[in-house]
Amino acid sequence: MDLTYTTEQAMLRKSAAEFISKECPFDSVKEIEESEEGYSASTWKKMAKLGWMELYFPEKYGGLGDPFVNITILMEEMGKRAFPSPFFSTVIMGGLILLEGGSEEQKKKLIPKLISGSLILALAHHEEDAGYSPSSISARAVSFENGYRLIGSKLFAMDANIAVFLIVSALTDEGISLFLVDSAKQGIECRKMPTIGKDNTCAVTFKDVHLTKDDMIGRPGDGWLILEKVMPRAILAKCAEMLGGCETALKMAITYAKQRVQYGVPIGGFQVIQHYLADMKTAFDTTLYYYHRVAWMIEEGLECTREISALKARVNKVYKHVTDRSIQIHGGIGTTREFNVGLFYRRAKSSESMLGDSEYHYERIAEQLGL
Amino acid sequence: MDFSLTVKEKAKKEEFEAFFREEMKNAPPEYGNGGLEGIYAEPEGFAFHQSMARKLGERGWISMAWPEEYGGRNASIMEQVIFDEVRGYYNAPGIDPFAADMFAPTLIAGATEEQKKRLLPPIARGEAFYCQGWSEPDAGSDLASLTTTAIRDGSDYVVNGQKTWTTGGHRAEYMFLLARTDAESERSRGLSVFHLRMDLPGIRIRPLNYMDGKHLYNEVFFDNVRIPASDLIGEKGNGWALTRQTMNFERSGAGGFSGSKRVLEEIIDFARNTKRDGQSIAKDPGSRRKIVEMFIDSEVGQTLAYQIAWMQQSGNNSGLITAASQSKLFSSELALRMADYATEMMGLYGQVETSAWSPLNGSMVELYQFGKSGTIYAGSNEIQRNLIAWTGLGLPRLKTGK
């Protein structure tokens, strides 16, 4: 057993922390939240220059071949600063799907572009039904001459408004298939949905969009399988980001409790506040330790269907708990847009339903336990 | 990050498992569902505890992590954690909660050489059983306010006063006592630790029965009890420092979490094999949700135990104090929640104590009652939260009356 990060990983964390703090302080986060693009193109280019996009991709596609865990360190640091960027959509979700299901040609063509920062990807998967099972997909890719015609509506498609390519799930004769769709194609309409996360959640409609057979990722009917396969790593990365946010909300509450004086003493001296904070710290610490264990299982290639679901459900619960108590400890100031803890309170809710909400993951665990 | 066990550690785990699986077949019915109740409530349970202790002693498993000069093997923290985990899973007695888990580390930390050589080997052999003389009627969470005195008289100390919540005081042969050796002293000053026999003249024991009627706790009265001065542990007046060290000596809690894991397996088994209103309980949405919540919590708890082991192994002492409090909080509240959930799932049967009618041998209705003490003893959960706030978060400690 060795429950430490390597020196190299610690350095990566430190440089990420410094870069994001300088590049995107909370005021900039709020500006980005209010912008149409929902990200900073200039920061995105700098991230590419720092080599953040290339970390876990195999060397033959221009990557560094690092363990996946290294990229979750970046996610954690981004989460700590509520940093808005299409990193998760592009590098994690898009990258993992390409690696898992993409043809050699697709990988060789797209991954180097992704690494250079000139390619933003977005997954357009959920629909009006908003479920997490195959039955929730009704978009269709109808065979037509030598390709397909894509018809359907997607919701909750993160970063679709800025993506160069959309990865779209749609029904073909063989079942659910994935397609790589150039966002500039005719018949695509994209609007942002107003969300509590003030992020790039989009609604996208496809009206007779023409696709070729080469636009498919993986074999016909393999779409669901590919998504299932990338899910553990995607969830791990999302949890890293959420835990980062949770840590900041906790730290803000501790700092405030030491500074804020009422009745002539710092409020952190009152046992009610101390017990809130002790519970928040325990909830956060224990979840972080569990996250490390699940990350290790994934890295080792161990079977961890139950554990990854347990992690997401636990992080969902703890992130909401910690941000709720953090605002409570801050009192009125915590509820304002000017103050920053609200950034995390809102994100706790918006990330809760991403990659499966708690109920979905509870049910997965129940099945795994033979219930 | 690497959570894996070495080949040697895996082999140890198998060895421990084989032992406990076999030995637990000999548990008498009076040992019931184990725990402190299993050990102390009935004489047969205590006899089983004693015989297991001797078997563990023969194998060197009580003292595995002690220094070699006192009968230990300098085993790794991981080996100790694996042992605790396996023993917890099998709900096995034999590690005396007071002798092996509390007094031995105190002795190692602060006794004289002569005392270490005299008192540690019988504990290591599984032959010495202790109770704890800390709490008093007016000194609970505020232990430093205790008033029992031990005043020097010739070659003896003479003890007067009263201790309470003395778990197993009616079974143990020995006690470790915290008393005031300077009658004029206040709070944490002027306290000393003693080793004493429970059959000394002037000691009177009165049962303090638990809500279910079982006899685990006692009140112990001292009326001019003479203890030889050679049984004052370490230095006179150093009792508070020693006691703080004992409080801080926490095992990983691995046993508690693996015990929860075993309980969960039994609950799952119950849910899958029991029908109510024509439907399997395992298919009831409310029950599924409860079981999954318990699964997640026991997974998280088990990982906390590993983290504590790692902190011990890597010498992260500041982190350890907080993590030990977190483990106590988490495990005691989890146990109680499991008992509540399980008895809820059992419906009307959730009230039935050990009998032909009781699911899981009545262990859950028992845990529902005795588990309530777990959030109070060994430093109430409120005290643990204070400790996390003060030591883990650096929050200010406001002035109190004393």
Side-chain angles (χ1 to χ4, degrees):
Chain A
M1 201 163 73
D2 178 1
L3 307 189
T4 49
Y5 283 105
T6 63
T7 318
E8 193 194 12
Q9 288 171 330
M11 275 166 58
L12 178 66
R13 183 186 295 283
K14 190 164 171 275
S15 81
E18 284 167 3
F19 174 77
I20 306 166
S21 302
K22 194 165 140 267
E23 191 70 23
C24 194
F26 287 131
D27 284 347
S28 309
V29 172
K30 284 177 241 178
E31 271 172 38
I32 291 173
E33 280 190 342
E34 278 154 24
S35 72
E36 192 52 37
E37 302 75 31
Y39 86 117
S40 156
S42 66
T43 304
W44 182 252
K45 290 263 150 56
K46 289 182 197 168
M47 287 159 68
K49 275 205 182 120
L50 282 172
W52 288 6
M53 323 311 196
E54 67 195 31
L55 286 180
Y56 80 98
F57 289 106
E59 284 163 36
K60 64 174 168 175
Y61 307 123
L64 288 179
D66 274 9
F68 186 74
V69 161
N70 288 12
I71 215 156
T72 63
I73 292 173
L74 294 181
M75 288 298 290
E76 228 180 300
E77 294 307 310
M78 292 182 202
K80 283 180 190 171
R81 292 158 189 85
F83 173 59
S85 89
F87 191 81
F88 182 80
S89 302
T90 302
V91 183
I92 310 272
M93 211 65 211
L96 286 171
I97 290 172
L98 280 178
L99 278 183
E100 184 62 44
S103 64
E104 270 314 294
E105 205 192 321
Q106 286 169 331
K107 289 186 217 177
K108 284 198 172 127
K109 187 179 126 200
L110 296 174
I111 295 175
K113 281 189 189 165
L114 192 161
I115 287 173
S116 73
S118 60
L119 179 69
I120 291 174
L121 297 173
L123 177 65
H125 173 55
H126 293 297
E127 299 188 9
E128 192 183 358
D129 170 278
Y132 302 101
S133 69
S135 67
S136 67
I137 303 303
S138 62
R140 284 175 298 132
V142 185
S143 288
F144 168 73
E145 292 175 1
N146 263 335
Y148 299 91
R149 291 187 331 198
L150 178 63
I151 306 145
S153 293
K154 295 288 179 178
L155 295 176
F156 312 106
M158 187 65 76
D159 296 317
N161 57 328
I162 52 171
V164 179
F165 282 101
L166 302 169
I167 297 170
V168 185
S169 54
L171 293 169
T172 56
D173 291 342
E174 303 82 0
I176 295 169
S177 303
L178 291 180
F179 293 92
L180 199 58
V181 182
D182 187 333
S183 64
K185 278 199 171 169
Q186 268 210 333
I188 301 176
E189 210 176 281
C190 178
R191 284 172 301 150
K192 276 177 82 165
M193 300 169 75
T195 56
I196 188 171
K198 296 194 190 298
D199 48 24
N200 277 340
T201 302
C202 292
V204 192
T205 52
F206 300 90
K207 279 187 197 143
D208 241 358
V209 178
H210 290 228
L211 302 172
T212 69
K213 283 190 167 154
D214 291 341
D215 292 332
M216 190 180 281
I217 300 175
R219 287 174 312 182
D222 274 358
W224 194 261
L225 194 70
I226 294 168
L227 290 174
E228 281 274 299
K229 279 200 171 158
V230 304
M231 215 39 90
R233 283 184 160 76
I235 290 174
L236 186 76
K238 183 49 74 180
C239 287
E241 184 184 33
M242 292 169 78
L243 282 166
C246 190
E247 184 171 339
T248 301
L250 171 62
K251 282 190 173 158
M252 282 177 164
I254 296 166
T255 306
Y256 189 78
K258 288 178 184 173
Q259 288 168 351
R260 171 73 173 169
V261 173
Q262 288 286 274
Y263 302 101
V265 291
I267 60 167
F270 299 130
Q271 284 199 334
V272 163
I273 305 293
Q274 292 184 345
H275 289 193
Y276 282 166
L277 285 167
D279 284 341
M280 289 155 73
K281 179 166 171 61
T282 302
F284 171 74
D285 285 350
T286 53
T287 309
L288 186 71
Y289 302 150
Y290 189 58
Y291 158 76
H292 289 154
R293 180 152 158 236
V294 177
W296 168 76
M297 292 181 85
I298 286 181
E299 210 57 70
E300 291 289 299
L302 302 173
E303 159 59 34
C304 60
T305 312
R306 296 187 316 192
E307 288 81 2
I308 196 75
S309 279
L311 177 67
K312 180 61 166 52
R314 171 86 181 160
V315 172
N316 278 350
K317 183 170 148 183
V318 167
Y319 196 8
K320 281 193 295 181
H321 163 69
V322 168
T323 51
D324 166 76
R325 288 296 87 182
S326 184
I327 290 189
Q328 188 69 29
I329 289 167
H330 281 91
I333 190 76
T335 63
T336 63
R337 176 114 177 116
E338 188 189 339
F339 202 76
N340 301 313
V341 67
L343 289 170
F344 300 97
Y345 181 76
R346 293 188 286 109
R347 276 163 179 70
K349 179 50 73 180
S350 62
S351 16
E352 179 183 27
S353 50
M354 290 178 192
L355 311 177
D357 60 12
S358 297
E359 287 302 332
Y360 166 80
H361 286 292
Y362 285 145
E363 199 42 47
R364 269 177 86 93
I365 296 167
E367 281 165 20
Q368 289 280 319
L369 291 175
L371 297 177
Chain B
M1 294 280 166
D2 179 8
F3 280 81
S4 58
L5 298 182
T6 64
V7 176
K8 200 179 146 211
E9 287 163 349
K10 279 182 192 154
K12 272 283 158 200
K13 188 168 188 182
E14 279 170 27
E15 186 187 349
F16 296 144
E17 273 174 353
F19 172 83
F20 284 113
R21 199 169 35 236
E22 199 52 38
E23 290 295 329
M24 285 309 287
K25 290 177 185 162
N26 305 323
E30 292 84 358
Y31 180 67
N33 297 305
L36 292 175
E37 289 176 295
I39 294 177
Y40 294 117
E42 303 295 334
E44 295 84 352
F46 193 67
F48 181 53
H49 173 53
Q50 288 174 304
S51 87
M52 281 291 275
R54 275 187 287 272
K55 285 179 185 173
L56 297 179
E58 279 165 21
R59 287 162 179 77
W61 290 350
I62 294 176
S63 57
M64 62 168 78
W66 301 4
E68 280 175 57
E69 59 259 51
Y70 311 120
R73 292 197 287 109
N74 277 323
S76 72
I77 305 278
M78 261 328 278
E79 195 176 325
Q80 179 74 65
V81 169
I82 294 165
F83 175 82
D84 290 345
E85 202 175 44
V86 174
R87 188 176 75 90
Y89 183 83
Y90 286 97
N91 202 1
I95 295 293
D96 195 75
F98 303 106
D101 273 356
M102 297 187 86
F103 192 45
T106 310
L107 289 169
I108 291 168
T112 65
E113 257 331 281
E114 180 276 322
Q115 289 167 338
K116 289 183 195 180
K117 293 205 167 109
R118 174 160 58 93
L119 300 175
L120 282 168
I123 297 176
R125 288 195 301 269
E127 290 167 2
F129 300 88
Y130 281 76
C131 60
Q132 175 192 15
W134 281 8
S135 294
E136 296 181 4
D138 291 326
S141 289
D142 182 16
L143 183 60
S145 67
L146 64 87
T147 58
T148 295
T149 53
I151 304 301
R152 182 80 187 231
D153 179 32
S155 60
D156 292 337
Y157 281 91
V158 180
V159 183
N160 281 288
Q162 184 197 341
K163 293 291 171 182
T164 190
W165 308 122
T166 316
T167 307
H170 56 310
R171 307 257 178 239
E173 198 178 349
Y174 305 103
M175 169 187 270
F176 58 89
L177 171 76
L178 184 65
R180 208 163 278 289
T181 36
D182 174 358
E184 303 306 309
S185 66
E186 279 193 2
R187 307 292 302 160
S188 57
R189 285 174 294 277
L191 300 174
S192 301
V193 175
F194 293 90
H195 150 90
L196 59 101
R197 292 188 60 85
M198 287 299 282
D199 58 4
L200 290 176
I203 293 181
R204 188 165 60 86
I205 299 179
R206 202 178 78 86
L208 198 53
N209 289 340
Y210 200 68
M211 62 170 99
D212 58 2
K214 285 184 181 156
H215 180 190
L216 284 91
Y217 303 144
N218 301 276
E219 294 178 295
V220 181
F221 300 88
F222 296 87
D223 181 15
N224 286 317
V225 176
R226 300 190 81 87
I227 305 176
S230 57
D231 283 345
L232 185 153
I233 302 303
E235 286 170 43
K236 186 180 172 189
N238 197 30
W240 189 250
L242 268 184
T243 301
R244 287 296 293 267
Q245 259 173 313
T246 309
M247 290 176 190
N248 287 343
F249 178 81
E250 289 279 348
R251 284 193 174 174
S252 60
F257 290 114
S258 61
S260 291
K261 209 171 163 188
R262 167 78 172 257
V263 167
L264 182 60
E265 285 170 13
E266 289 172 356
I267 294 171
I268 291 172
D269 206 45
F270 163 81
R272 292 177 60 177
N273 294 306
T274 311
K275 280 189 171 180
R276 184 172 309 139
D277 297 326
Q279 188 190 244
S280 162
I281 290 179
K283 295 292 171 206
D284 167 59
S287 299
R288 288 168 85 83
R289 171 69 178 261
K290 283 175 187 146
I291 289 171
V292 168
E293 272 185 39
M294 292 188 272
F295 169 77
I296 296 173
D297 287 347
S298 67
E299 281 276 300
V300 170
Q302 191 183 26
T303 312
L304 172 59
Y306 293 151
Q307 186 71 33
I308 291 174
W310 170 247
M311 287 175 176
Q312 287 175 323
Q313 200 167 309
S314 58
N316 176 3
N317 291 324
S318 63
L320 199 52
I321 294 175
T322 300
S325 286
Q326 291 176 325
S327 172
K328 198 272 173 176
L329 266 185
F330 200 98
S331 60
S332 59
E333 291 177 2
L334 172 60
L336 205 48
R337 196 157 57 242
M338 287 181 97
D340 184 41
Y341 277 4
T343 47
E344 265 189 0
M345 284 163 56
M346 290 167 184
L348 284 166
Y349 286 102
Q351 65 186 311
V352 183
E353 295 190 318
T354 308
S355 60
W357 293 284
S358 58
L360 310 188
N361 196 37
S363 58
M364 290 298 105
V365 71
E366 217 167 72
L367 186 61
Y368 183 81
Q369 295 171 88
F370 197 66
K372 194 61 222 121
S373 66
T375 56
I376 296 164
Y377 66 51
S380 74
N381 287 13
E382 288 67 35
I383 292 289
Q384 305 299 341
R385 287 185 167 92
N386 290 351
L387 291 173
I388 294 167
W390 297 335
T391 61
L393 301 174
L395 292 172
R397 191 171 176 172
L398 296 187
K399 245 178 114 61
T400 48
K402 279 192 170 178

